[in-house]
PDB file of all heavy atoms in Angstrom:
ATOM      1  N   LYS B 149       5.149 -22.871  12.907  1.00 84.00           N
ATOM      2  CA  LYS B 149       5.644 -24.219  13.041  1.00 84.00           C
ATOM      3  C   LYS B 149       6.720 -24.522  12.010  1.00 84.00           C
ATOM      4  O   LYS B 149       7.668 -25.286  12.260  1.00 84.00           O
ATOM      5  CB  LYS B 149       4.490 -25.205  12.869  1.00 84.00           C
ATOM      6  CG  LYS B 149       3.865 -25.650  14.188  1.00 84.00           C
ATOM      7  CD  LYS B 149       2.711 -26.603  13.973  1.00 84.00           C
ATOM      8  CE  LYS B 149       1.641 -26.393  15.064  1.00 84.00           C
ATOM      9  NZ  LYS B 149       0.278 -26.626  14.573  1.00 84.00           N
ATOM     10  N   GLN B 150       6.529 -23.965  10.818  1.00 85.00           N
ATOM     11  CA  GLN B 150       7.538 -24.197   9.770  1.00 85.00           C
ATOM     12  C   GLN B 150       8.757 -23.308   9.969  1.00 85.00           C
ATOM     13  O   GLN B 150       9.650 -23.280   9.114  1.00 85.00           O
ATOM     14  CB  GLN B 150       6.938 -23.900   8.383  1.00 85.00           C
ATOM     15  CG  GLN B 150       5.955 -24.941   7.939  1.00 85.00           C
ATOM     16  CD  GLN B 150       5.368 -24.578   6.597  1.00 85.00           C
ATOM     17  OE1 GLN B 150       6.092 -24.171   5.686  1.00 85.00           O
ATOM     18  NE2 GLN B 150       4.073 -24.690   6.484  1.00 85.00           N
ATOM     19  N   GLY B 151       8.783 -22.568  11.035  1.00 87.00           N
ATOM     20  CA  GLY B 151       9.943 -21.764  11.324  1.00 87.00           C
ATOM     21  C   GLY B 151       9.978 -20.409  10.641  1.00 87.00           C
ATOM     22  O   GLY B 151      11.028 -19.840  10.453  1.00 87.00           O
ATOM     23  N   ILE B 152       8.817 -19.939  10.207  1.00 91.00           N
ATOM     24  CA  ILE B 152       8.790 -18.599   9.616  1.00 91.00           C
ATOM     25  C   ILE B 152       8.267 -17.598  10.670  1.00 91.00           C
ATOM     26  O   ILE B 152       7.111 -17.628  11.006  1.00 91.00           O
ATOM     27  CB  ILE B 152       7.848 -18.548   8.389  1.00 91.00           C
ATOM     28  CG1 ILE B 152       8.308 -19.601   7.365  1.00 91.00           C
ATOM     29  CG2 ILE B 152       7.818 -17.177   7.787  1.00 91.00           C
ATOM     30  CD1 ILE B 152       7.414 -19.683   6.156  1.00 91.00           C
ATOM     31  N   PRO B 153       9.164 -16.749  11.166  1.00 93.00           N
ATOM     32  CA  PRO B 153       8.718 -15.820  12.219  1.00 93.00           C
ATOM     33  C   PRO B 153       7.765 -14.772  11.640  1.00 93.00           C
ATOM     34  O   PRO B 153       7.899 -14.340  10.514  1.00 93.00           O
ATOM     35  CB  PRO B 153      10.022 -15.155  12.636  1.00 93.00           C
ATOM     36  CG  PRO B 153      11.123 -15.890  11.946  1.00 93.00           C
ATOM     37  CD  PRO B 153      10.544 -16.568  10.787  1.00 93.00           C
ATOM     38  N   ILE B 154       6.849 -14.382  12.490  1.00 94.00           N
ATOM     39  CA  ILE B 154       5.836 -13.407  12.105  1.00 94.00           C
ATOM     40  C   ILE B 154       5.749 -12.324  13.177  1.00 94.00           C
ATOM     41  O   ILE B 154       5.760 -12.663  14.387  1.00 94.00           O
ATOM     42  CB  ILE B 154       4.447 -14.074  11.955  1.00 94.00           C
ATOM     43  CG1 ILE B 154       4.533 -15.212  10.954  1.00 94.00           C
ATOM     44  CG2 ILE B 154       3.401 -13.072  11.553  1.00 94.00           C
ATOM     45  CD1 ILE B 154       3.241 -16.009  10.862  1.00 94.00           C
ATOM     46  N   VAL B 155       5.619 -11.108  12.762  1.00 95.00           N
ATOM     47  CA  VAL B 155       5.346 -10.043  13.705  1.00 95.00           C
ATOM     48  C   VAL B 155       4.063  -9.337  13.213  1.00 95.00           C
ATOM     49  O   VAL B 155       3.958  -8.940  12.046  1.00 95.00           O
ATOM     50  CB  VAL B 155       6.490  -9.021  13.757  1.00 95.00           C
ATOM     51  CG1 VAL B 155       6.056  -7.798  14.576  1.00 95.00           C
ATOM     52  CG2 VAL B 155       7.726  -9.647  14.385  1.00 95.00           C
ATOM     53  N   PHE B 156       3.121  -9.237  14.095  1.00 95.00           N
ATOM     54  CA  PHE B 156       1.878  -8.548  13.775  1.00 95.00           C
ATOM     55  C   PHE B 156       2.057  -7.074  14.038  1.00 95.00           C
ATOM     56  O   PHE B 156       2.567  -6.678  15.089  1.00 95.00           O
ATOM     57  CB  PHE B 156       0.714  -9.121  14.568  1.00 95.00           C
ATOM     58  CG  PHE B 156       0.320 -10.491  14.065  1.00 95.00           C
ATOM     59  CD1 PHE B 156       0.990 -11.615  14.504  1.00 95.00           C
ATOM     60  CD2 PHE B 156      -0.689 -10.618  13.152  1.00 95.00           C
ATOM     61  CE1 PHE B 156       0.634 -12.863  14.010  1.00 95.00           C
ATOM     62  CE2 PHE B 156      -1.058 -11.872  12.655  1.00 95.00           C
ATOM     63  CZ  PHE B 156      -0.368 -12.993  13.087  1.00 95.00           C
ATOM     64  N   PHE B 157       1.579  -6.305  13.103  1.00 96.00           N
ATOM     65  CA  PHE B 157       1.833  -4.867  13.167  1.00 96.00           C
ATOM     66  C   PHE B 157       0.522  -4.086  13.277  1.00 96.00           C
ATOM     67  O   PHE B 157      -0.401  -4.354  12.501  1.00 96.00           O
ATOM     68  CB  PHE B 157       2.591  -4.461  11.885  1.00 96.00           C
ATOM     69  CG  PHE B 157       3.157  -3.066  11.930  1.00 96.00           C
ATOM     70  CD1 PHE B 157       4.300  -2.783  12.652  1.00 96.00           C
ATOM     71  CD2 PHE B 157       2.513  -2.027  11.240  1.00 96.00           C
ATOM     72  CE1 PHE B 157       4.820  -1.490  12.695  1.00 96.00           C
ATOM     73  CE2 PHE B 157       3.040  -0.735  11.287  1.00 96.00           C
ATOM     74  CZ  PHE B 157       4.194  -0.472  12.001  1.00 96.00           C
ATOM     75  N   ALA B 158       0.516  -3.137  14.181  1.00 94.00           N
ATOM     76  CA  ALA B 158      -0.584  -2.174  14.315  1.00 94.00           C
ATOM     77  C   ALA B 158      -1.925  -2.841  14.708  1.00 94.00           C
ATOM     78  O   ALA B 158      -2.447  -2.549  15.762  1.00 94.00           O
ATOM     79  CB  ALA B 158      -0.790  -1.386  13.032  1.00 94.00           C
ATOM     80  N   ARG B 159      -2.428  -3.727  13.879  1.00 93.00           N
ATOM     81  CA  ARG B 159      -3.712  -4.349  14.218  1.00 93.00           C
ATOM     82  C   ARG B 159      -3.471  -5.590  15.076  1.00 93.00           C
ATOM     83  O   ARG B 159      -2.701  -6.453  14.721  1.00 93.00           O
ATOM     84  CB  ARG B 159      -4.470  -4.718  12.954  1.00 93.00           C
ATOM     85  CG  ARG B 159      -4.906  -3.530  12.120  1.00 93.00           C
ATOM     86  CD  ARG B 159      -5.715  -3.980  10.923  1.00 93.00           C
ATOM     87  NE  ARG B 159      -6.110  -2.850  10.102  1.00 93.00           N
ATOM     88  CZ  ARG B 159      -6.725  -2.957   8.922  1.00 93.00           C
ATOM     89  NH1 ARG B 159      -6.991  -4.181   8.456  1.00 93.00           N
ATOM     90  NH2 ARG B 159      -7.070  -1.881   8.237  1.00 93.00           N
ATOM     91  N   SER B 160      -4.231  -5.652  16.131  1.00 86.00           N
ATOM     92  CA  SER B 160      -4.037  -6.782  17.049  1.00 86.00           C
ATOM     93  C   SER B 160      -4.870  -7.980  16.611  1.00 86.00           C
ATOM     94  O   SER B 160      -5.830  -7.866  15.843  1.00 86.00           O
ATOM     95  CB  SER B 160      -4.502  -6.406  18.455  1.00 86.00           C
ATOM     96  OG  SER B 160      -3.920  -5.165  18.815  1.00 86.00           O
ATOM     97  N   ILE B 161      -4.528  -9.153  17.118  1.00 87.00           N
ATOM     98  CA  ILE B 161      -5.302 -10.346  16.892  1.00 87.00           C
ATOM     99  C   ILE B 161      -5.578 -11.061  18.184  1.00 87.00           C
ATOM    100  O   ILE B 161      -4.961 -10.771  19.198  1.00 87.00           O
ATOM    101  CB  ILE B 161      -4.571 -11.336  15.920  1.00 87.00           C
ATOM    102  CG1 ILE B 161      -3.172 -11.581  16.494  1.00 87.00           C
ATOM    103  CG2 ILE B 161      -4.518 -10.800  14.528  1.00 87.00           C
ATOM    104  CD1 ILE B 161      -2.555 -12.837  15.932  1.00 87.00           C
ATOM    105  N   GLN B 162      -6.534 -11.969  18.133  1.00 83.00           N
ATOM    106  CA  GLN B 162      -6.960 -12.677  19.345  1.00 83.00           C
ATOM    107  C   GLN B 162      -5.821 -13.466  19.977  1.00 83.00           C
ATOM    108  O   GLN B 162      -5.607 -13.393  21.163  1.00 83.00           O
ATOM    109  CB  GLN B 162      -8.118 -13.640  18.984  1.00 83.00           C
ATOM    110  CG  GLN B 162      -9.302 -13.006  18.310  1.00 83.00           C
ATOM    111  CD  GLN B 162     -10.207 -12.259  19.258  1.00 83.00           C
ATOM    112  OE1 GLN B 162     -10.010 -12.272  20.459  1.00 83.00           O
ATOM    113  NE2 GLN B 162     -11.192 -11.579  18.717  1.00 83.00           N
ATOM    114  N   GLN B 163      -5.181 -14.266  19.125  1.00 80.00           N
ATOM    115  CA  GLN B 163      -4.159 -15.216  19.597  1.00 80.00           C
ATOM    116  C   GLN B 163      -3.069 -14.471  20.409  1.00 80.00           C
ATOM    117  O   GLN B 163      -2.417 -13.605  19.888  1.00 80.00           O
ATOM    118  CB  GLN B 163      -3.500 -15.814  18.374  1.00 80.00           C
ATOM    119  CG  GLN B 163      -3.842 -17.267  18.163  1.00 80.00           C
ATOM    120  CD  GLN B 163      -2.927 -18.143  19.000  1.00 80.00           C
ATOM    121  OE1 GLN B 163      -2.419 -17.705  20.026  1.00 80.00           O
ATOM    122  NE2 GLN B 163      -2.762 -19.361  18.576  1.00 80.00           N
ATOM    123  N   PRO B 164      -2.854 -14.930  21.612  1.00 81.00           N
ATOM    124  CA  PRO B 164      -1.853 -14.206  22.417  1.00 81.00           C
ATOM    125  C   PRO B 164      -0.416 -14.702  22.156  1.00 81.00           C
ATOM    126  O   PRO B 164       0.530 -14.095  22.668  1.00 81.00           O
ATOM    127  CB  PRO B 164      -2.258 -14.584  23.841  1.00 81.00           C
ATOM    128  CG  PRO B 164      -2.925 -15.905  23.701  1.00 81.00           C
ATOM    129  CD  PRO B 164      -3.487 -16.005  22.336  1.00 81.00           C
ATOM    130  N   SER B 165      -0.252 -15.723  21.342  1.00 85.00           N
ATOM    131  CA  SER B 165       1.087 -16.333  21.263  1.00 85.00           C
ATOM    132  C   SER B 165       1.944 -15.749  20.149  1.00 85.00           C
ATOM    133  O   SER B 165       2.999 -16.288  19.856  1.00 85.00           O
ATOM    134  CB  SER B 165       0.963 -17.843  21.108  1.00 85.00           C
ATOM    135  OG  SER B 165       0.509 -18.122  19.791  1.00 85.00           O
ATOM    136  N   PHE B 166       1.496 -14.675  19.549  1.00 90.00           N
ATOM    137  CA  PHE B 166       2.317 -14.088  18.486  1.00 90.00           C
ATOM    138  C   PHE B 166       2.932 -12.766  18.927  1.00 90.00           C
ATOM    139  O   PHE B 166       2.386 -12.042  19.745  1.00 90.00           O
ATOM    140  CB  PHE B 166       1.470 -13.819  17.238  1.00 90.00           C
ATOM    141  CG  PHE B 166       1.034 -15.071  16.526  1.00 90.00           C
ATOM    142  CD1 PHE B 166      -0.279 -15.495  16.574  1.00 90.00           C
ATOM    143  CD2 PHE B 166       1.966 -15.849  15.854  1.00 90.00           C
ATOM    144  CE1 PHE B 166      -0.664 -16.651  15.913  1.00 90.00           C
ATOM    145  CE2 PHE B 166       1.607 -17.010  15.209  1.00 90.00           C
ATOM    146  CZ  PHE B 166       0.275 -17.421  15.234  1.00 90.00           C
ATOM    147  N   SER B 167       4.047 -12.487  18.355  1.00 92.00           N
ATOM    148  CA  SER B 167       4.700 -11.202  18.648  1.00 92.00           C
ATOM    149  C   SER B 167       3.987 -10.052  17.916  1.00 92.00           C
ATOM    150  O   SER B 167       3.432 -10.276  16.816  1.00 92.00           O
ATOM    151  CB  SER B 167       6.165 -11.228  18.230  1.00 92.00           C
ATOM    152  OG  SER B 167       6.862 -12.103  19.068  1.00 92.00           O
ATOM    153  N   SER B 168       4.038  -8.886  18.488  1.00 93.00           N
ATOM    154  CA  SER B 168       3.370  -7.775  17.835  1.00 93.00           C
ATOM    155  C   SER B 168       3.949  -6.444  18.223  1.00 93.00           C
ATOM    156  O   SER B 168       4.600  -6.302  19.249  1.00 93.00           O
ATOM    157  CB  SER B 168       1.870  -7.831  18.221  1.00 93.00           C
ATOM    158  OG  SER B 168       1.736  -7.641  19.598  1.00 93.00           O
ATOM    159  N   VAL B 169       3.705  -5.488  17.413  1.00 95.00           N
ATOM    160  CA  VAL B 169       4.029  -4.105  17.701  1.00 95.00           C
ATOM    161  C   VAL B 169       2.811  -3.277  17.419  1.00 95.00           C
ATOM    162  O   VAL B 169       2.281  -3.299  16.318  1.00 95.00           O
ATOM    163  CB  VAL B 169       5.189  -3.597  16.806  1.00 95.00           C
ATOM    164  CG1 VAL B 169       5.450  -2.109  17.059  1.00 95.00           C
ATOM    165  CG2 VAL B 169       6.467  -4.391  17.068  1.00 95.00           C
ATOM    166  N   SER B 170       2.330  -2.565  18.434  1.00 93.00           N
ATOM    167  CA  SER B 170       1.196  -1.700  18.125  1.00 93.00           C
ATOM    168  C   SER B 170       1.168  -0.523  19.117  1.00 93.00           C
ATOM    169  O   SER B 170       1.945  -0.467  20.057  1.00 93.00           O
ATOM    170  CB  SER B 170      -0.111  -2.487  18.192  1.00 93.00           C
ATOM    171  OG  SER B 170      -0.246  -3.038  19.485  1.00 93.00           O
ATOM    172  N   SER B 171       0.262   0.354  18.859  1.00 92.00           N
ATOM    173  CA  SER B 171       0.126   1.519  19.741  1.00 92.00           C
ATOM    174  C   SER B 171      -0.604   1.087  20.978  1.00 92.00           C
ATOM    175  O   SER B 171      -1.372   0.148  20.981  1.00 92.00           O
ATOM    176  CB  SER B 171      -0.700   2.595  19.052  1.00 92.00           C
ATOM    177  OG  SER B 171      -0.199   2.862  17.797  1.00 92.00           O
TER     178      SER B 171
END
Side-chain angles (χ1 to χ4, degrees):
Chain B
K149 265 179 213 147
Q150 287 178 46
I152 303 178
I154 303 174
V155 171
F156 287 83
F157 190 77
R159 294 183 180 173
S160 311
I161 52 160
Q162 305 281 356
Q163 250 276 26
S165 72
F166 290 109
S167 292
S168 63
V169 174
S170 60
S171 310

